[in-house]
Amino acid sequence: MIRCSARTVLCIAALALATAATTEAQDRPRSYTSRTTKDSTIKLGAVQVTGRRDDLIGIATSAAQGRIGRADLRQRPLLREGELLEAVPGMILTQHSGDGKANQMFVRGFNLDHGTDFQTRIESMPLNLPTHAHGQGYTDLNLLIPELVDHVSYSLGPYYADLGDFGSAGGATLNLVRSLPRSLAQVEGGAWGYRRAVAAGSRTSGAHTVLLGGEAKGYDGPWQVAQGLSKRSALARYSWQGREQAVSLLGLSYLNHWNASDQIPERAVNNGAVHRFGQVDTSLGGSTARHSLSLDWTRTRGTTRTQLEAYAVRYDFELFSNFTYHLEDEAAGDQIRQRDDRSIFGLNLQQQRAVGVGSTQHQWRYGLQGRFDNADVSLAHTQNRAFTDMARADLVQQGSLGLWSSVDSRWQSWLRTSVGVRGDGYRFDVTSDRPVNSGVRGATLASPKASVIVAPTAALELYVGGGLGFHSNDARGTTIRVDPVSGDAVDSVDPLVRSRGGEVGLRLSGVRDLRTTVSLWTLRLDSELLFVGDAGTTEPQGRSARTGVTLANFWRPLRALAVDADVSFTRARYLDEPVGAQSVPGALESVIAAGVQWSPWATGPAAVIRVRNFGAHPLIEDNSVRGRSTTLVNASLGMPMRGLRLTASVLNLLGSRGRDVQYFYASRLRGEPAGGVEDVHFHPVEPRQLRLGVSFGGWGGVQTPE
């Protein structure tokens, strides 16, 4: 299935150009809210999302909520698709392997691995994969076509009733476009074999709209073993908009394969044994495929809105990795193969009612979220991608049902509250190749949430909030009895891990679209016990606490100029470890992201420069080994010319020799002692590179900065 032909994708891309050569259509507004009018009645209506300039005073229930619109997203110079989420304050996405693998994610003092405590969705469909072969909550953003992302909405912290599993640090939803004003055709090229083509278009007839789009991308990278990335992604969407109802049917298809550039040991680079862009094991890589179909139906009548979402996903994944080289097997090496073959089905149903009781205005939201995963996951030992023996193979059926409700109340013009609760139930059914590790587990959890919002002025809101959240553990860890590698007896883990969070914040909306938010937050996890897919067993990490502050700013001093700057500082500690050994490895202590965007008019030239820095951070619990700080500067320039748009992007403008990811652990190269050598292992940032592009149509150049 992974090796499916990409001809369908390319045909869809070509057809997209033909379907919308002369049509123009407007996206319907993408979010709904209720506002109190001067006569104290509540109106439920649509709000057009533009981006960071949106005034969320009177709407948001915390300072850690926001939106990023398409103009801001499209102007960001991107090395990888997942970097779209770096628009979320304090969030960093990097890579420690090939670009077809999910990003390494960091936010609020979490090294999220590939998404464990941050919930990510494409509209109604969750991207986090529980009980994944490589890691719990694995989140692959590489399927995205960035030009077709309309806006991103985010909510940080566990204070929101509709945010369930993997939402302890928060969540983000990527909303895709429903139509384009003009057909889009775009080609790009750059260093190290980078090539990319995108085509998309829509056609509207009355209340009906059809949108088609496709992308083909290849990239070898600066690595001594060419990455050979080959991505194919396609989108097809039908939308119907009536007076009270709307329907969307969305199909997504994604194929990718690559050679990996995993992290390398610092000692080998220092002594010249391995090039900075080299590999120890040159036979690593992977392939993946994801095909989905989702339905979104909404109906708005007066002050009541009902929404039904359903989705089905078919997913395949295969990854070859080698993190310790020859530590376990001096002759054959430590290469492993992880496979994941699954089907996913889900349903979301929610209703929103705006009601007034006396002089008090309320917005009541409630719903259910159901999901079922049927997964075939395995871990095998391999050599040069050839199978040698099976470490573990499991058939997993995992089902969950969440019920949630929240009430947002306006008690006075200056006082609001938000009170919510959700209840979640899980069932894990594991059939293992070792019968002793098979079993069925169930778990339930209730999570209350509450916030108080005070508005001293029309331009300022203050927030105090808190709530309980959770993440699920890998189903295999809930039924395990024997370590599949060593044969030793091990303890199973709790299916659901509780988190507790609180926040104090403010939101300021000033002149010239000034938007400032400040969040002082804290978050505790009862346990960071996680199933380690790379070893096939569980690893206890104990309770933890994180405290931090995040400052986010957007400002337009001139109509043609937009400036944003976000700063985040975090302190993360284990609670059950002795003093001097409480640091959380990989927890970023500081993140700075800023940018300047200049565009004098809508279809004219545009220039963007962005900087992002993540500071030094502990790599082991006693903080005696620290990862280096990394700063990257990216820039882009766009210019219209005879109906086309020419773009030039320079990635890593200053030629930084920083590191994407850093770890500290023991590994063994040939000729080293049997116990291996403890060392820093890192993945370098890619060197300076130029990418050029030419495009026609789409959104017609640059929109007003957001």
Side-chain angles (χ1 to χ4, degrees):
M1 181 172 292
I2 295 177
R3 298 176 179 262
C4 293
S5 169
R7 288 184 222 167
T8 302
V9 177
L10 297 178
C11 289
I12 290 177
L15 182 60
L17 287 177
T19 58
T22 60
T23 59
E24 294 187 4
Q26 299 296 322
D27 280 351
R28 73 178 179 89
R30 300 297 296 122
S31 64
Y32 292 76
T33 189
S34 62
R35 289 184 182 270
T36 306
T37 62
K38 292 181 179 179
D39 62 0
S40 295
T41 61
I42 290 182
K43 304 293 184 182
L44 182 65
V47 175
Q48 182 69 48
V49 173
T50 57
R52 295 190 65 169
R53 69 179 181 178
D54 286 347
D55 184 0
L56 298 184
I57 287 182
I59 300 175
T61 58
S62 83
Q65 289 179 297
R67 302 164 176 160
I68 305 100
R70 79 169 72 93
D72 178 71
L73 296 173
R74 287 210 64 187
Q75 293 308 307
R76 288 177 170 263
L78 299 176
L79 177 63
R80 306 178 183 98
E81 294 84 349
E83 292 174 5
L84 287 172
L85 282 189
E86 289 194 352
V88 176
M91 193 155 199
I92 293 289
L93 285 91
T94 65
Q95 183 57 267
H96 74 94
S97 187
D99 286 346
K101 186 179 176 182
N103 298 98
Q104 198 78 10
M105 305 170 71
F106 303 84
V107 73
R108 289 203 162 188
F110 282 91
N111 179 346
L112 298 167
D113 192 26
H114 301 290
T116 302
D117 280 289
F118 191 82
Q119 184 187 106
T120 309
R121 290 176 174 266
I122 294 181
E123 299 186 358
S124 65
M125 289 185 295
L127 289 180
N128 302 78
L129 296 177
T131 314
H132 188 269
H134 183 68
Q136 178 71 345
Y138 185 89
T139 303
D140 188 355
L141 295 165
N142 293 301
L143 77 163
L144 293 171
I145 304 175
E147 290 81 0
L148 301 184
V149 177
D150 181 74
H151 69 278
V152 176
S153 57
Y154 64 87
S155 301
L156 299 177
Y159 328 124
Y160 320 99
D162 59 346
L163 199 62
D165 197 5
F166 306 117
S168 293
T173 300
L174 298 117
N175 297 275
L176 307 182
V177 300
R178 301 206 171 198
S179 65
L180 292 169
R182 293 191 298 167
S183 295
L184 166 69
Q186 179 172 312
V187 293
E188 300 173 358
W192 298 297
Y194 175 76
R195 64 271 186 200
R196 181 171 179 265
V198 178
S202 64
R203 184 169 185 174
T204 298
S205 176
H208 307 272
T209 299
V210 174
L211 170 71
L212 298 173
E215 175 193 10
K217 174 183 174 183
Y219 184 48
D220 293 330
W223 320 106
Q224 289 194 325
V225 175
Q227 184 173 212
L229 181 82
S230 179
K231 171 190 174 181
R232 302 293 184 266
S233 196
L235 176 154
R237 171 170 240 162
Y238 165 77
S239 303
W240 174 81
Q241 178 68 60
R243 185 174 63 87
E244 293 184 337
Q245 300 184 58
V247 174
S248 169
L249 188 62
L250 173 65
L252 298 175
S253 182
Y254 165 66
L255 306 167
N256 207 345
H257 63 81
W258 66 95
N259 297 318
S261 52
D262 274 353
Q263 64 262 23
I264 51 179
E266 189 174 65
R267 64 187 184 276
V269 177
N270 291 342
N271 65 26
V274 177
H275 189 273
R276 185 165 173 265
F277 296 109
Q279 294 98 331
V280 176
D281 186 336
T282 59
S283 63
L284 307 180
S287 57
T288 189
R290 180 184 174 109
H291 312 285
S292 65
L293 185 65
S294 60
L295 170 70
D296 181 354
W297 170 81
T298 60
R299 183 181 66 191
T300 304
R301 288 182 176 174
T303 60
T304 300
R305 178 175 182 262
T306 304
Q307 182 174 23
L308 172 66
E309 301 166 313
Y311 56 87
V313 181
R314 188 74 182 93
Y315 175 81
D316 289 289
F317 171 89
E318 183 177 58
L319 182 68
F320 296 89
S321 306
N322 188 345
F323 303 113
T324 53
Y325 318 126
H326 296 275
L327 183 64
E328 303 297 332
D329 190 327
E330 182 179 10
D334 301 345
Q335 188 179 105
I336 59 173
R337 184 197 69 197
Q338 295 161 313
R339 280 184 174 173
D340 193 309
D341 180 0
R342 74 174 63 202
S343 299
I344 309 167
F345 304 95
L347 177 72
N348 305 319
L349 177 63
Q350 63 176 302
Q351 192 166 77
Q352 177 177 328
R353 294 176 179 269
V355 297
V357 179
S359 60
T360 304
Q361 311 301 326
H362 305 277
Q363 180 176 291
W364 182 24
R365 299 170 59 235
Y366 49 91
L368 65 85
Q369 300 163 346
R371 173 173 174 171
F372 177 76
D373 286 63
N374 187 12
D376 182 349
V377 290
S378 65
L379 172 68
H381 297 117
T382 55
Q383 184 177 12
N384 294 321
R385 300 199 190 190
F387 176 85
T388 57
D389 64 272
M390 183 67 69
R392 177 166 189 171
D394 301 87
L395 299 176
V396 179
Q397 293 186 333
Q398 178 170 327
S400 64
L401 179 65
L403 302 175
W404 62 272
S405 178
S406 68
V407 178
D408 296 348
S409 303
R410 182 177 295 276
W411 304 97
Q412 300 289 339
S413 60
W414 53 271
L415 177 64
R416 295 187 293 129
T417 60
S418 178
V419 178
V421 65
R422 70 173 293 126
D424 289 275
Y426 280 75
R427 185 179 188 273
F428 307 90
D429 188 339
V430 179
T431 302
S432 178
D433 60 344
R434 290 174 177 252
V436 67
N437 286 332
S438 300
V440 177
R441 290 285 300 273
T444 59
L445 205 61
S447 306
K449 333 270 185 174
S451 297
V452 177
I453 305 100
V454 176
T457 72
L460 175 67
E461 277 192 335
L462 307 176
Y463 306 88
V464 178
L468 305 184
F470 73 98
H471 74 239
S472 62
N473 264 323
D474 191 299
R476 294 169 292 179
T478 69
T479 62
I480 192 171
R481 295 292 182 270
V482 174
D483 186 310
V485 177
S486 68
D488 297 334
V490 295
D491 295 327
S492 60
V493 301
D494 293 332
L496 305 179
V497 177
R498 168 66 78 200
S499 61
R500 298 170 174 83
E503 182 170 311
V504 177
L506 67 83
R507 183 184 302 271
L508 174 67
S509 294
V511 296
R512 299 187 182 276
D513 287 337
L514 174 65
R515 304 287 183 256
T516 295
T517 61
V518 181
S519 304
L520 177 62
W521 56 269
T522 183
L523 182 65
R524 293 194 172 204
L525 265 66
D526 280 357
S527 170
E528 296 206 14
L529 278 173
L530 293 176
F531 188 93
V532 181
D534 300 333
T537 185
T538 56
E539 180 177 291
Q541 294 178 296
R543 297 183 304 143
S544 65
R546 292 166 172 82
T547 302
V549 60
T550 301
L551 171 65
N553 299 277
F554 174 87
W555 183 42
R556 184 183 295 111
L558 303 172
R559 187 181 184 281
L561 187 67
V563 181
D564 66 87
D566 303 334
V567 181
S568 181
F569 298 100
T570 304
R571 182 181 187 271
R573 294 291 185 268
Y574 286 126
L575 298 178
D576 299 322
E577 301 298 325
V579 175
Q582 294 179 313
S583 296
V584 178
L588 299 186
E589 297 175 340
S590 65
V591 173
I592 300 172
V596 178
Q597 179 177 326
W598 171 79
S599 54
W601 60 88
T603 58
V608 178
I609 186 166
R610 299 202 60 83
V611 59
R612 63 102 142 142
N613 165 273
F614 58 86
H617 52 281
L619 296 183
I620 59 176
E621 288 80 357
D622 66 6
N623 202 23
S624 61
V625 181
R626 291 177 63 81
R628 300 179 186 176
S629 173
T630 294
T631 301
L632 289 177
V633 177
N634 298 327
S636 68
L637 176 66
M639 184 71 66
M641 183 175 292
R642 297 185 178 182
L644 302 176
R645 186 165 192 84
L646 308 181
T647 59
S649 297
V650 182
L651 305 176
N652 192 2
L653 178 66
L654 302 183
S656 168
R657 290 175 63 87
R659 298 175 173 183
D660 270 336
V661 175
Q662 300 163 84
Y663 306 97
F664 186 82
Y665 59 86
S667 64
R668 184 188 186 191
L669 302 173
R670 290 191 183 276
E672 291 185 335
V677 177
E678 291 191 329
D679 194 9
V680 173
H681 297 71
F682 71 94
H683 188 272
V685 301
E686 297 192 18
R688 181 190 299 114
Q689 58 182 289
L690 173 67
R691 293 181 175 180
L692 302 176
V694 58
S695 62
F696 168 82
W699 295 102
V702 178
Q703 300 169 322
T704 304
E706 298 175 351

